[in-house]
Amino acid sequence: GSATMTVYNGMDMNVALPQKTVQICENTVETTSMRVRNTGEAEETYSLQTNRGNLAEDEVTLGANESTEVGLEFNSSEYQTGNVNYQVTATANSFDEPRKTVQGTFNVQNCWDLDMRVIPEVASAGENMSQVYEVRLKNPGTKENTYELTYEGPSWIQIKDRESDDNQHDVTVAPGE
């Protein structure tokens, strides 16, 4: 007769990123997570590593079919705008295997940008007359921003809003406007 034997790894696991791409503004800190699931048949301790950012824990112990999420903190001030790829790895401590790695992306965005132009109104120029300057603000960033207009100079300079004269110098500009 013959016999059949099925061989399998009873110490398996799964690693996943609930959010593969994370949007983050420049010079901010964002937290996302990685998920580790013990798909094996016995309790196991896993070592966790990442090549970018900081994991909330560097080791987790999970029973059979248990899972957990571990926070991954990313500080965008260390990177330029654009996509920053990262990877997280979980390694079973018992035999240094299985070892699984998943990759994700932090998309660092310029959320807080400002273009400002000062344009003199030619019609108001003249000797001993006031000169009016228009201040144009453009927000090329990705989030709505409020800007406070201030100036340094003589006390006779005034900032006036054409739409209201409430003496408030805060201007809110939507992204792309």
Side-chain angles (χ1 to χ4, degrees), residues 58-77:
D58 57 7
E59 198 173 86
V60 293
T61 300
L62 300 171
N65 211 31
E66 282 185 341
S67 69
T68 189
E69 286 200 12
V70 176
L72 171 61
E73 186 180 87
F74 184 79
N75 185 341
S76 67
S77 64

Side-chain angles (χ1 to χ4, degrees), residues 125-136:
E127 195 174 326
N128 295 328
M129 296 180 71
S130 64
Q131 174 73 36
V132 176
Y133 291 88
E134 181 180 329
V135 178
R136 286 194 188 158

